[in-house]
Amino acid sequence: MTSSTILRLETIESPPSGQPLERGPAIRALLESVVRDTHHGAAPAGDRGRAGRPRRTRRQVARLGLATATASVLAIAALAVGGVLRPDGGVAQAATPPLLGHEVATGDPAGTMLSVLARQAATTPTVDGVDTTIRTERWSLAVTVGVLPGDGAAPEGAAPEGAAVESHGEGSASGVVGPPVTTAVIPVLREFTRHEDGAVSVHEVGGEPQFPTDAYRRAWDDAGRPGPHGSVVRSDTMPPGSYAFAFPADLPAEPDRLRELLESERPDAAHDAGALLLAVHELRHEQVLSGAVLAGVLDVLAAEPGVIELGRTTDRAGRTAIAVAADSEVSGWPVRQVLLLDPEDGLILGFEQVLTADVETVDVAAPAVIDYTTFQ
Amino acid sequence: MSVVEEETTAREPSDEQLWSRARRGDPSAFGDLFTRHAHTVYTFCFRLTANWNTAEDLTTVVFLEAWRRRGEPEANVATLVPWLLGIASQVARHSTRAVRRHRKLLAKLPPAVVDGDPTANAAARAETEQQMKQILRVFRRLPQREQEVLALCVWGERTTAEAAIALGIPVGTARSRLARAHEHLRRLMEASTPARAAAGAGLAAARAREATPR
């Protein structure tokens, strides 16, 4: 026992006490809404016998059975096996990053706000003639082995776990780093540099593991802390002309022409607001947008009625952001696409995909973040 | 002790009145109960988890669970706070499951906003979390049943009678578990003279409360 521990024991009678709840009013409002929505004149007698037996248990058993029966087809990589079967029940589902707070909230059309942001973005100066580097932190949920992205079983862009995967731009569909991971969210830190001579460099490093709860951290520790934290995942430099960009370097600023380009890369964007947000994310992933082009992109989104405003939040880098979103099912999953914008100049700070309802093929409890990119 | 429940005055409705109104479907009555007892529950949850963020989520879950269980016989007004702390003990022990059950509601909450100097606040929170983790390191070496009684009686400021209600066990059982917990704790701390002295002070305080009916 260390001396510091002994000192702390002196406080065992009166350990640290509570600070004010940071979200007290919001919690109260939530509780009141629950009473309002669920009161039906009498106490729920039917709940008495189920107090300790959530309906979830039955669903988990069903999922486990499904996973067992289809094991030869669906290796639910890094999800069910390491999680559901834990005897202590501490980690029952795949680790996913925490929601940013109100990513699943309802919202009003974002058109007006986006138009204002577009005007602010238009004043952003453009830097030409130098190398541009796009730094991101990205994580994607593992889906299935043997199922290609975009075939309807998973949102395009979702990829094998650990998130040590990059499937954009250069078309790398693999990239799993280290052994499959069951309990940690491991982002990849990526530097994507477009050199002035046309060459492209990609440098990726395993990020800091994240854990939804202490139970996941303990499971991670018990497993020997596998993963690529700090190690170089990829370091490539491609000569001029060898990298297949999805979008031309000389982007137009006119909203109509921008929309055509976005739809050419994502045809679903013609009728699905979520796909449109996904296309914008992909554009941002390979280019640093000039103020004029960013304004055009924001105008495109402003004209899309399916894009709603979720209000201000704090992104994963601790920055204040305005969230806009659109629900989409074109991937085959019920997913909300969320774009995070700088409230001052409209810069794209991040992009997230949130699973909004449970799906059979993956043991993730919706709502859950299944993919995120933070632009640094 | 630092867990302080807000005093009620003659002008304020009692817990009994608020709970009765809430169960009849009055949202503000349930909101008032939350405002009145949230600090007690929050502090208790923190002491069981050593994490302020987790404690805030669990506090929400405790009240959601209280509402869900409002039809249970134990949900009677004379024992509301012990009952809430009993729920807190359960959800803290199975926090992953408890949070998962209410995840959709929790997801509706806005992100936390730190008042004042964020850096100073974060430092204070980290320091208290570290203190609590050190305490829990010793506390969790006790048998689970003894932890529950000791937490309710010492950290939750409940009498053994109230702890018994919270845990759904006879008073005599709660009393004997508390005595065993005292003894186990004392043994754990015997390796260090200063620590033993501290334990003695803590247990004396708990016994003093024991003699004071609520």
Side-chain angles (χ1 to χ4, degrees), chain A residues 67-119:
Chain A
T68 304
T70 61
S72 61
V73 179
L74 297 176
I76 301 185
L79 298 180
V81 176
V84 174
L85 296 184
R86 278 183 65 83
D88 62 3
V91 175
Q93 289 166 319
T96 58
L99 290 163
L100 287 184
H102 47 291
E103 287 184 306
V104 292
T106 56
D108 295 324
T112 303
M113 181 275 292
L114 286 169
S115 295
V116 171
L117 270 188
R119 302 289 71 77

Side-chain angles (χ1 to χ4, degrees), chain A residues 14-369:
Chain A
S14 182
S17 65
Q19 301 180 1
L21 277 85
E22 294 182 344
R23 297 173 294 176
I27 295 170
R28 176 175 173 147
L30 175 71
L31 295 171
E32 291 182 347
S33 73
V34 168
V35 173
R36 198 174 297 114
D37 294 342
T38 60
H39 176 71
H40 302 293
D47 274 1
R48 294 177 191 177
R50 302 202 310 256
R53 301 178 59 195
R55 191 170 22 178
R56 185 83 194 164
T57 301
R58 202 161 46 189
R59 299 182 65 186
Q60 286 175 329
V61 170
R63 284 181 174 178
L64 186 57
L66 178 66
T68 304
T70 61
S72 61
V73 179
L74 297 176
I76 301 185
L79 298 180
V81 176
V84 174
L85 296 184
R86 278 183 65 83
D88 62 3
V91 175
Q93 289 166 319
T96 58
L99 290 163
L100 287 184
H102 47 291
E103 287 184 306
V104 292
T106 56
D108 295 324
T112 303
M113 181 275 292
L114 286 169
S115 295
V116 171
L117 270 188
R119 302 289 71 77
Q120 294 168 334
T123 64
T124 303
T126 300
V127 179
D128 292 321
V130 294
D131 296 350
T132 54
T133 297
I134 299 171
R135 293 180 178 83
T136 58
E137 174 183 309
R138 175 131 198 252
W139 175 87
S140 295
L141 177 70
V143 187
T144 59
V145 172
V147 180
L148 295 175
D151 71 349
E156 195 156 347
E161 151 103 26
V165 172
E166 182 50 63
S167 61
H168 279 274
E170 56 270 66
S172 166
S174 61
V176 179
V177 178
V181 178
T182 60
T183 62
V185 174
I186 307 176
V188 167
L189 307 178
R190 181 180 192 249
E191 288 188 358
F192 178 85
T193 302
R194 300 181 69 149
H195 298 284
E196 191 175 2
D197 64 359
V200 169
S201 298
V202 180
H203 186 75
E204 296 176 351
V205 177
E208 178 80 23
Q210 303 165 19
F211 306 90
T213 67
D214 284 345
Y216 284 84
R217 181 179 292 278
R218 286 195 295 273
W220 171 260
D221 290 340
D222 291 346
R225 307 175 66 82
H229 178 212
S231 61
V232 175
V233 173
R234 178 185 179 189
S235 189
D236 286 336
T237 297
M238 286 153 274
S242 63
Y243 186 94
F245 287 101
F247 299 95
D250 54 341
L251 287 168
E254 295 80 14
D256 290 346
R257 292 183 59 201
L258 272 171
R259 175 139 195 158
E260 284 177 14
L261 279 172
L262 294 168
E263 289 179 7
S264 68
E265 177 60 20
R266 284 272 172 190
D268 286 331
H271 58 85
D272 186 276
L276 184 62
L277 291 179
L278 198 56
V280 170
H281 164 243
E282 288 165 354
L283 172 62
R284 175 66 183 91
H285 217 270
E286 66 176 40
Q287 292 201 26
V288 175
L289 306 180
S290 69
V293 171
L294 177 59
V297 168
L298 294 174
D299 279 332
V300 168
L301 298 179
E304 175 58 52
V307 177
I308 61 172
E309 180 183 356
L310 301 180
R312 293 193 180 221
T313 187
T314 302
D315 77 355
R316 297 184 194 280
R319 303 168 295 191
T320 299
I322 291 181
V324 297
D327 294 321
S328 172
E329 295 200 3
V330 295
S331 67
W333 284 5
V335 172
R336 169 168 283 190
Q337 320 284 358
V338 181
L339 197 64
L340 300 165
L341 304 170
D342 190 312
E344 299 299 323
D345 52 20
L347 283 176
I348 298 171
L349 301 177
F351 176 78
E352 311 221 338
Q353 298 189 64
V354 179
L355 188 70
T356 55
D358 291 349
V359 294
E360 289 287 344
T361 50
V362 61
D363 199 359
V364 167
V369 173

